[in-house]
Amino acid sequence: MSSGDASRHVGAVVVTYNRRELLLESLAAIAAQTRPADAVVVVDNASTDGSAAAVAAQFPGVRLVRLTRNTGGAGGFAAGLDVALAAGADLVWLMDDDTVPQPGALEELLAARDRYAGAVPAVVASRVVWTDGRPHPMNTPRRKPFVRRAELRLADGIGCVPIRSASFVSVLIDGEHARRLGSPIADYFLWNDDFEYTTRLLRHAPGLLCPASTVVHKTKVFGGADTDPGERFFFEVRNKIWTLTRSRCLSPIERLLYAGATVRRWIRTFAASGDRGTLFPALRRGITAGLCHGPRANDEVLAGLTD
């Protein structure tokens, strides 16, 4: 561990909702890191399965933030990041409650950040695998398009890959960038909140995928988030429209590219779905909501939900 590594305050943030056993496994893995986090924040999205009591009993050193209503992953990460930054974190490690980091995951993220000779990375992401060791398709960071050769060489020289976005399954966020550019948009609730936020951070700063940092994402099934999403497709549609039309996370050319990719993804979702009767109404509602109004401010969404 370098002296610079030891002097930085790293806060880990885990967002949970009714997955007590997975949460406890995740917290045990965080506690077992070769380079421990300096503080751990758990945001409980109004769980009803005893998650909060279990955390308080088994991990008394964890700061537990109990929300009185389920705000989804977006609201949970917005609240957790704000708490970690207010406590003085220089770096914030975000992850879901079904994420189990391997023992050296945090140490490798920090090492990659230290070894990178370019501008300070705003985001460093872990390699995410499923329970059988296969790369998880739900959490594959998007490689940075049109990357400059110099940036590619710098990343390749430390065994990393330049990225344009990442998921919240395991990402290390630079505190200065987060304080300057704000938090995730809580009103997204779920889906595309991590895409919007990480692309916002990485619009003018480098980001890295660090394959040496590995976490296991214990989803129920192996597959992407768009595998027959049912009524949740509403959030995919609304939030993607918000991202493409109301956020400054993408350049004009990127908006066109991602808009085309989005339409292709939606077509694939419909083609593979066995429940199109649910998807069509969700599509209509998502388009209407996305075009008619934008997301509310975080202060409004999260007002009165914590102590």
Side-chain angles (χ1 to χ4, degrees), residues 127-137 139 214-223:
R127 180 173 69 98
V128 182
V129 300
W130 197 47
T131 53
D132 61 1
R134 285 182 290 173
H136 206 306
N139 312 117
T214 303
V215 302
V216 179
H217 193 194
K218 290 194 166 184
T219 56
K220 291 181 179 179
V221 297
F222 178 82

Side-chain angles (χ1 to χ4, degrees), residues 39-109:
V40 181
V41 177
V42 169
V43 180
D44 178 29
N45 255 323
S47 295
T48 58
D49 66 346
S51 290
V55 171
Q58 298 187 36
F59 297 94
V62 167
R63 180 168 182 179
L64 183 60
V65 178
R66 303 185 189 188
L67 304 184
T68 57
R69 162 172 69 78
N70 182 12
T71 64
F77 282 114
L81 181 65
D82 288 348
V83 167
L85 293 176
D90 302 303
L91 298 160
V92 184
W93 188 21
L94 305 179
M95 72 190 76
D96 283 333
D97 56 2
D98 56 354
T99 303
V100 180
Q102 300 306 286
L106 177 57
E107 186 172 13
E108 293 291 352
L109 291 175

Side-chain angles (χ1 to χ4, degrees), residues 9-15 25-43 76-77 80-82 84-85 89-97 99-110 113 122-128 167-175 178 197 210 212-216:
H9 185 284
V10 179
V13 173
V14 184
V15 176
E25 184 179 3
S26 177
L27 291 176
I30 292 172
Q33 290 295 296
T34 54
R35 194 294 191 187
D38 298 290
V40 181
V41 177
V42 169
V43 180
F77 282 114
L81 181 65
D82 288 348
L85 293 176
D90 302 303
L91 298 160
V92 184
W93 188 21
L94 305 179
M95 72 190 76
D96 283 333
D97 56 2
T99 303
V100 180
Q102 300 306 286
L106 177 57
E107 186 172 13
E108 293 291 352
L109 291 175
L110 291 167
R113 189 177 182 277
V123 176
V124 185
S126 299
R127 180 173 69 98
V128 182
S167 78
F168 283 160
V169 169
S170 174
V171 288
L172 188 67
I173 304 295
D174 180 76
Y197 187 58
C210 176
S213 173
T214 303
V215 302
V216 179

Side-chain angles (χ1 to χ4, degrees), residues 159-213:
C160 293
V161 178
I163 58 173
R164 186 65 181 90
S165 68
S167 78
F168 283 160
V169 169
S170 174
V171 288
L172 188 67
I173 304 295
D174 180 76
E176 287 190 17
H177 285 86
R179 289 183 175 93
R180 186 171 68 253
L181 296 176
S183 301
I185 300 174
D187 211 17
Y188 273 50
F189 190 74
L190 59 85
W191 226 331
N192 291 308
D193 51 312
D194 46 8
F195 174 78
E196 190 282 333
Y197 187 58
T198 56
T199 52
R200 193 192 330 157
L201 291 175
L202 298 177
R203 173 94 188 259
H204 301 294
L208 301 171
L209 166 63
C210 176
S213 173

